[in-house]
Amino acid sequence: MADDPQRNFRSAYYEKVGFRGVEEKKSLEILLKDNPLDLEKLSTFSQRFPLPSMYRIHVWKVLLGVLPPHSDSHSLVGGYRKEQYQDIVESLENDENEDFLAIARAMEEIVDDPVDCYWLIKCFINQFHNKFGDSLPHLPKSLEHYLSLEEPRLLNHLRSIGALPQLPYSLWFKRCFAGCLPESSLQRVWDKVISGSCKILVFVALEILLSYKIMLIGNTRPEGVVKFLCNIPQENTEAIVSKAIDLWQKYCGNPNHAV
């Protein structure tokens, strides 16, 4: 994680999702005292309220089943547990699991501490689905619209060879480019998503198409187009994201424009 305060992903995200107050302290203390291993209540509580940092480790360990009842909340528990995301996975539809796991793997590369990583993933997924769930199905059409303005020739080519409906929309929009962009570039995109704009995803996809338009226009097989777009070169992604942000600001104007 970079030390630059302008790109401190975790600090900005903690503030955004509300990890700063202690209003729920008494409620959580009562809950843990009453039944520390009541996973259903703990999961419900953690979804309804932002948790003060001193309790996030405790709840995370209890949810994993690695913290005995009435034990010290600051005791150390070593070792990585794949089960740490089970409660999140259970809240998703079956076809959303792979998208979630891709985001989780990318977040693990960004965030070193497993407790921080768990809460960041949980809140990112919750916010993304709750705030943008209704908008996601419309993003492919939005991409088509902006591509018609920026490069109609490329749009017509993709449409004529049958590649347009096969573009990797799930990778781009449902996974927020996890598995497509390297983590250094991904952080910049996710910063915009967290700040309230899922439409940045459209402009990143748009800039990818524009950056490789010569290669794409030269390809007459839709499967070749899709294969390339799922495995774009990694050395140019910083420039792609920077240009995508410029396009986003050009068309949306308001940095808080969400959809």
Side-chain angles (χ1 to χ4, degrees):
M1 185 72 59
D3 292 329
D4 186 351
Q6 295 299 319
R7 298 180 61 185
N8 190 326
F9 181 85
R10 279 178 286 179
S11 295
Y13 191 58
Y14 287 161
E15 181 72 15
K16 182 68 180 178
V17 299
F19 290 165
R20 59 185 185 276
V22 293
E23 297 299 323
E24 288 73 40
K25 178 179 178 181
K26 292 184 178 180
S27 298
L28 184 57
E29 285 180 337
I30 293 172
L31 175 62
L32 293 174
K33 182 179 179 180
D34 179 54
N35 188 349
L37 294 181
D38 191 330
L39 302 186
E40 183 177 353
K41 288 184 179 179
L42 277 172
S43 179
T44 300
F45 184 93
S46 64
Q47 290 174 16
R48 290 180 58 196
F49 300 107
L51 295 177
S53 59
M54 64 182 293
Y55 289 107
R56 290 201 307 274
I57 295 177
H58 189 104
V59 174
W60 176 75
K61 291 175 182 178
V62 172
L63 285 170
L64 290 185
V66 297
L67 186 66
H70 310 299
S71 63
D72 181 1
S73 63
H74 297 288
S75 62
L76 297 178
V77 178
Y80 173 75
R81 293 281 299 272
K82 291 182 179 179
E83 295 88 345
Q84 65 178 325
Y85 305 128
Q86 188 61 35
D87 67 309
I88 309 176
V89 171
E90 289 175 353
S91 69
L92 303 173
E93 300 293 336
N94 289 334
D95 60 354
E96 295 175 334
N97 286 347
E98 288 303 315
D99 298 331
F100 159 74
L101 292 173
I103 292 174
R105 284 191 291 268
M107 190 73 82
E108 287 172 351
E109 294 298 318
I110 295 171
V111 184
D112 294 330
D113 184 270
V115 181
D116 288 350
C117 189
Y118 169 85
W119 289 107
L120 284 168
I121 292 170
K122 186 178 184 69
C123 293
F124 184 95
I125 293 294
N126 286 343
Q127 175 177 306
F128 188 73
H129 284 280
N130 292 337
K131 189 167 186 177
F132 304 127
D134 293 338
S135 301
L136 292 182
H138 305 289
L139 297 187
K141 279 296 180 183
S142 184
L143 172 61
E144 185 176 337
H145 167 70
Y146 290 113
L147 185 57
S148 71
L149 299 177
E150 289 290 323
E151 191 56 64
R153 181 187 172 199
L154 176 56
L155 174 62
N156 291 335
H157 172 72
L158 295 175
R159 185 181 287 131
S160 67
I161 67 172
L164 194 61
Q166 299 184 41
L167 297 182
Y169 297 122
S170 179
L171 174 64
W172 291 346
F173 303 146
K174 293 184 179 180
R175 301 187 182 186
C176 302
F177 292 93
C180 177
L181 299 177
E183 285 70 30
S184 58
S185 300
L186 200 58
Q187 291 180 56
R188 299 177 64 195
V189 177
W190 285 4
D191 280 343
K192 303 302 181 188
V193 174
I194 290 167
S195 69
S197 175
C198 71
K199 207 162 190 179
I200 185 63
L201 303 175
V202 171
F203 291 104
V204 174
L206 174 62
E207 186 54 44
I208 288 174
L209 296 176
L210 295 177
S211 296
Y212 298 107
K213 63 182 178 181
I214 295 177
M215 191 285 301
L216 295 174
I217 289 176
N219 198 318
T220 59
R221 298 174 62 86
E223 58 270 25
V225 169
V226 174
K227 182 178 180 180
F228 174 81
L229 292 175
C230 288
N231 300 276
I232 64 171
Q234 301 290 284
E235 62 271 10
N236 195 38
T237 57
E238 284 294 313
I240 287 175
V241 172
S242 293
K243 292 177 182 178
I245 293 173
D246 290 340
L247 285 171
W248 172 63
Q249 292 174 338
K250 169 185 173 181
Y251 284 106
C252 296
N254 183 355
N256 294 319
H257 190 90
V259 293

